[in-house]
Amino acid sequence: DTGVSQNPRHKITKRGQNVTFRCDPISEHNRLYWYRQTLGQGPEFLTYFQNEAQLEKSRLLSDRFSAERPKGSFSTLEIQRTEQGDSAMYLCASSLALGQGNEQFFGPGTRLTVL
Amino acid sequence: RKEVEQDPGPFNVPEGATVAFNCTYSNSASQSFFWYRQDCRKEPKLLMSVYSSGNEDGRFTAQLNRASQYISLLIRDSKLSDSATYLCVVRRTTPLVFGKGTRLSVIA
């Protein structure tokens, strides 16, 4: 499968625990994005990388959230001290950086439930 | 006010019907426009880009009116397989900005 992959697909955790999600983009894509989607809403942008550089962060990305892409390939998103409001689908997408019209391809998402 | 506004629906239509979705966006600096389709509990997938001249892909036609900041999607001859949530999406710089989505159910 050459699409975007995300692991785990589901995560259930207790409030206050830390969680980490992984995203593997399409191999030739140098841009990688994280979005969050809650029930009944469209995805909301969190952050994106071009290669290993984190170029933009949304104000939704509180200081409990950190994302990395150390070698410019896969990325991790960590949430520290999870809260019930963090329950959502976390979507990763990747694209090429050339031009403005390049399609963002989404992975299947990691569904987080905080009890 | 949300940057991208859509009627959430649901739209329940019989097979073969024509259905139209509308969307407005608030940021006049938006540069690119799209419709994404999202099936239940799946990831969003690009349905089509939207251009000022209007564009068509089979049974789907998209229109953009920059002056009114308005985007539309028309689906002709609806199929059961068209049942999904349709997300209106704009891009000003790099990140995509999504509307809440409009849910479509096509009924036999």
Side-chain angles (χ1 to χ4, degrees):
Chain A
D1 188 351
T2 56
V4 178
S5 62
Q6 293 188 243
N7 287 288
R9 295 292 307 277
H10 300 91
K11 178 72 178 177
I12 299 173
T13 191
K14 292 183 178 178
R15 190 173 51 189
Q17 298 294 303
N18 299 342
V19 294
T20 300
F21 310 141
R22 176 178 169 127
C23 171
D24 287 87
I26 294 170
S27 58
E28 63 268 27
H29 285 180
N30 50 4
R31 284 192 174 169
L32 185 150
Y33 313 80
W34 285 99
Y35 292 83
R36 180 175 72 184
Q37 186 174 24
T38 54
L39 197 62
Q41 304 293 319
E44 294 175 293
F45 169 73
L46 294 177
T47 188
Y48 92 93
F49 295 82
Q50 181 159 311
N51 301 314
E52 64 275 7
Q54 189 172 18
L55 295 189
E56 189 171 341
K57 293 194 286 188
S58 160
R59 60 180 180 275
L60 290 177
L61 209 68
S62 78
D63 56 7
R64 296 185 298 105
F65 288 68
S66 62
E68 295 183 342
R69 195 183 184 197
K71 298 182 181 177
S73 57
F74 74 91
S75 174
T76 58
L77 177 68
E78 182 183 15
I79 309 174
Q80 296 182 325
R81 306 181 302 282
T82 52
E83 301 173 356
Q84 288 184 324
D86 297 331
S87 295
M89 175 75 86
Y90 289 84
L91 291 161
C92 176
S94 70
S95 76
L96 295 169
L98 297 174
Q100 289 285 324
N102 284 291
E103 180 179 351
Q104 293 184 21
F105 292 85
F106 283 81
T110 294
R111 185 171 295 280
L112 173 66
T113 302
V114 182
L115 301 176
Chain B
R1 183 187 171 189
K2 285 279 193 179
E3 190 166 343
V4 179
E5 302 255 21
Q6 291 182 253
D7 180 345
F11 284 57
N12 300 313
V13 302
E15 272 187 292
T18 296
V19 60
F21 304 140
N22 303 316
C23 162
T24 58
Y25 61 96
S26 60
N27 194 323
S28 58
S30 298
Q31 297 183 1
S32 305
F33 308 88
F34 311 92
W35 285 99
Y36 273 69
R37 170 190 169 132
Q38 187 170 28
D39 293 298
C40 188
R41 303 183 78 83
K42 299 282 191 180
E43 72 273 22
K45 292 185 178 177
L46 179 66
L47 178 66
M48 57 199 304
S49 300
V50 189
Y51 305 110
S52 296
S53 54
N55 48 301
E56 188 173 310
D57 183 2
R59 298 180 293 107
F60 299 83
T61 301
Q63 294 275 356
L64 166 66
N65 184 321
R66 283 186 181 269
S68 303
Q69 296 181 196
Y70 172 94
I71 306 164
S72 65
L73 176 68
L74 185 76
I75 305 175
R76 291 181 299 278
D77 189 23
S78 300
K79 311 291 185 191
L80 294 175
S81 58
D82 294 333
S83 297
T85 295
Y86 290 83
L87 297 158
C88 179
V89 185
V90 306
R91 181 167 60 198
R92 182 167 38 88
T93 53
T94 294
L96 299 176
V97 181
F98 288 80
K100 285 188 176 183
T102 299
R103 187 170 172 188
L104 172 66
S105 291
V106 181
I107 304 160

